[in-house]
């Protein structure tokens, strides 16, 4: 079952559909194939290292960051199915010229996990898709809306194999690129995250700046008092790779806020929302420390938010700690 056939089958479930989503997705898939091949040959093709520019986040851009961004902006624009693009690498949103416009808004991180690019550790592309509400008067409000309004989300992981994980609102499916065919094949049908996991994933290097509930939760993972076994720590430092493992094995991935960065590090539109959408579709949940992550209403396109996502019961545990702290406050 190729991803094209899968999406066409899904399309038949929507008689009103004209195939626009299928065309948009085929262009995202093309972008992922292109970036996958560039990542694989990066060392050979002198694509490692810095591009000599800095992005809106103040991060030094890697050559592959710039290349991936160009690939996806071109692929999404030339699909003729998009009207607004928001990329981690571009300060401003891209409003597609009216003649080429379509009814979807795409928010994306063209290459996530930049710190791992040059050492060959898994990295990825993250994307989220909104349907435009007012096609005649397209404004930034089309993307500054809750993540729960997304119609689809996904990521593509460039690791030991190239895996594209997608949800269009009726479950989560994973497809692996068969290089001999150049096609993504359905290898992980209907992914359901385990209700409770044995793994916690967080950058403990920030522990001294954490708030009470986060500190207590990680303490409980290491020294459980209910007779259960301690959880194992796994942290790759690429959100796509850490979330992919969490989706398949269960457990919890966290990027909390702390005294130094009260809003954490991860960006709401193209990191927190797509991964939270997938988690909920797989039976897990995503929490910001205050509310359900998908209920957030971003005010800026590069806004950041703390996030705790993964197995339902593990996220329930941290929600309880924040609720208790709020009650004691
Ligand atoms: P970018 O590389 O796209 O900027 O993404 C941010 C990221 O690398 C995530 O993939 C990852 O989860 C996090 O930052 C790691 O941050 P830290 O090094 O602070 O733990």
């Amino acid at each position: 079952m190729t991803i094209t056939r899968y999406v066409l089958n899904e399309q038949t479930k929507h008689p009103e559909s004209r195939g626009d989503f299928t065309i948009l997705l085929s262009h995202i898939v093309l972008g992922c194939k292109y970036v996958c091949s560039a990542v694989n040959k990066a060392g050979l093709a002198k694509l490692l290292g810095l591009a000599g520019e800095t992005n809106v986040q103040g991060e030094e851009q890697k050559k592959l960051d710039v290349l991936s961004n160009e690939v996806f902006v071109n692929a999404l624009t030339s699909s003729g199915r998009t009207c607004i693009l928001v990329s981690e690498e571009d300060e401003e949103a891209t409003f597609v010229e009216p003649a080429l416009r379509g009814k979807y808004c795409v928010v994306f991180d063209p290459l996530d996990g930049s710190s791992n690019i040059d050492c060959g550790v898994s990295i990825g592309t993250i994307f989220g898709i909104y349907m435009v509400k007012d096609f005649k008067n397209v404004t930034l409000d089309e993307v500054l809306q809750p993540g729960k309004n997304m119609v689809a989300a996904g990521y593509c992981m460039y690791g030991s194999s190239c895996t594209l994980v997608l949800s269009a609102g009726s479950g989560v499916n994973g497809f692996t690129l068969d290089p001999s065919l150049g096609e993504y094949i359905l290898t992980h049908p209907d992914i359901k995250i385990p209700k409770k996991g044995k793994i916690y994933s967080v950058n403990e290097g920030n522990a001294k700046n954490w708030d009470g509930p986060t500190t207590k939760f990680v303490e409980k993972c290491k020294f459980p008092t209910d007779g259960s076994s301690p959880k194992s720590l796994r942290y790759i430092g690429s959100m796509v790779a850490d979330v992919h493992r969490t989706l398949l094995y269960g457990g919890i991935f966290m990027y909390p806020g702390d005294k130094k960065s009260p809003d954490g590090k991860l960006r709401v539109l193209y990191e927190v929302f797509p991964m939270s959408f997938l988690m909920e579709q797989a039976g897990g949940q995503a929490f910001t420390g205050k509310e359900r992550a998908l209920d957030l209403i971003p005010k800026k396109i590069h806004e950041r938010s703390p996030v705790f996502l993964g197995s339902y019961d593990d996220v329930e545990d941290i929600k309880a700690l924040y609720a208790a702290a709020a009650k004691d406050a």
Side-chain angles (χ1 to χ4, degrees):
M1 168 73 83
T2 65
I3 194 166
T4 313
R5 209 171 117 207
Y6 169 80
V7 173
L8 285 171
N9 287 353
E10 287 299 300
Q11 188 184 307
T12 58
K13 295 177 187 163
H14 306 275
E16 78 290 355
S17 158
R18 297 174 320 149
D20 292 320
F21 180 75
T22 305
I23 292 169
L24 171 63
L25 198 71
S26 66
H27 284 73
I28 292 173
V29 165
L30 177 64
C32 293
K33 288 177 184 174
Y34 191 107
V35 172
C36 181
S37 122
V39 168
N40 287 346
K41 64 182 179 210
L44 305 167
K46 299 196 174 14
L47 283 172
L48 296 178
L50 297 173
E53 295 152 30
T54 301
N55 68 14
V56 61
Q57 334 279 346
E59 296 160 346
E60 288 190 285
Q61 287 181 306
K62 298 285 177 73
K63 290 179 186 167
L64 279 169
D65 282 329
V66 175
L67 174 74
S68 311
N69 194 45
E70 278 168 22
V71 165
F72 281 104
V73 169
N74 293 343
L76 293 166
T77 306
S78 60
S79 73
R81 297 304 181 277
T82 61
C83 54
I84 301 180
L85 307 179
V86 172
S87 166
E88 183 206 26
E89 298 302 334
D90 294 330
E91 182 154 5
E92 305 300 333
T94 302
F95 286 80
V96 176
E97 60 181 271
L100 268 180
R101 270 187 194 173
K103 62 182 181 186
Y104 293 106
C105 307
V106 182
V107 293
F108 62 102
D109 182 350
L111 204 55
D112 173 73
S114 306
S115 58
N116 280 323
I117 290 177
D118 292 354
C119 61
V121 167
S122 300
I123 50 182
T125 296
I126 309 173
F127 60 91
I129 302 171
Y130 289 99
M131 177 92 80
V132 74
K133 290 197 178 110
D134 182 354
F135 191 67
K136 292 202 176 54
N137 173 29
V138 175
T139 68
L140 214 46
D141 292 346
E142 294 288 352
V143 291
L144 296 180
Q145 54 170 309
K148 62 187 172 202
N149 295 351
M150 282 183 169
V151 293
Y155 61 78
C156 187
M157 183 175 72
Y158 312 114
S160 52
S161 62
C162 180
T163 308
L164 199 158
V165 171
L166 173 73
S167 177
S170 50
V172 180
N173 291 280
F175 304 82
T176 302
L177 182 62
D178 179 337
S180 64
L181 290 178
E183 261 292 3
Y184 285 95
I185 308 296
L186 181 61
T187 49
H188 301 74
D190 198 21
I191 298 173
K192 288 287 179 245
I193 185 170
K195 200 155 180 308
K196 194 169 181 58
K198 298 188 176 84
I199 293 172
Y200 72 101
S201 183
V202 67
N203 182 345
E204 294 216 37
N206 300 325
K208 73 177 172 55
N209 293 317
W210 284 343
D211 60 19
T214 300
T215 304
K216 277 203 190 111
F217 180 79
V218 171
E219 197 66 21
K220 270 182 73 177
C221 291
K222 292 179 181 179
F223 310 103
T225 53
D226 61 358
S228 63
S229 315
K231 289 184 188 299
S232 299
L233 171 64
R234 294 284 183 278
Y235 191 71
I236 298 165
S238 289
M239 187 185 194
V240 168
D242 281 314
V243 168
H244 187 63
R245 181 203 57 248
T246 304
L247 205 52
L248 299 184
Y249 292 178
I252 187 166
F253 168 80
M254 307 170 265
Y255 208 107
D258 59 36
K259 296 189 192 76
K260 230 175 61 200
S261 317
D263 293 329
K265 177 181 182 179
L266 301 175
R267 281 52 57 115
V268 171
L269 270 184
Y270 42 80
E271 288 173 323
V272 173
F273 277 171
M275 296 310 203
S276 302
F277 186 95
L278 291 166
M279 256 328 138
E280 288 200 3
Q281 284 287 319
Q285 57 174 323
F287 176 60
T288 66
K290 293 192 182 82
E291 63 185 311
R292 174 196 178 208
L294 291 178
D295 288 341
L296 263 175
I297 303 176
K299 298 178 193 56
K300 294 176 286 150
I301 60 172
H302 298 296
E303 190 169 306
R304 300 173 193 263
S305 169
V307 65
F308 306 84
L309 53 80
S311 294
Y312 197 89
D313 291 357
D314 292 317
V315 179
E316 275 303 294
D317 289 348
I318 193 131
K319 284 167 73 174
L321 289 167
Y322 273 98
K327 220 159 105 240
D328 300 346

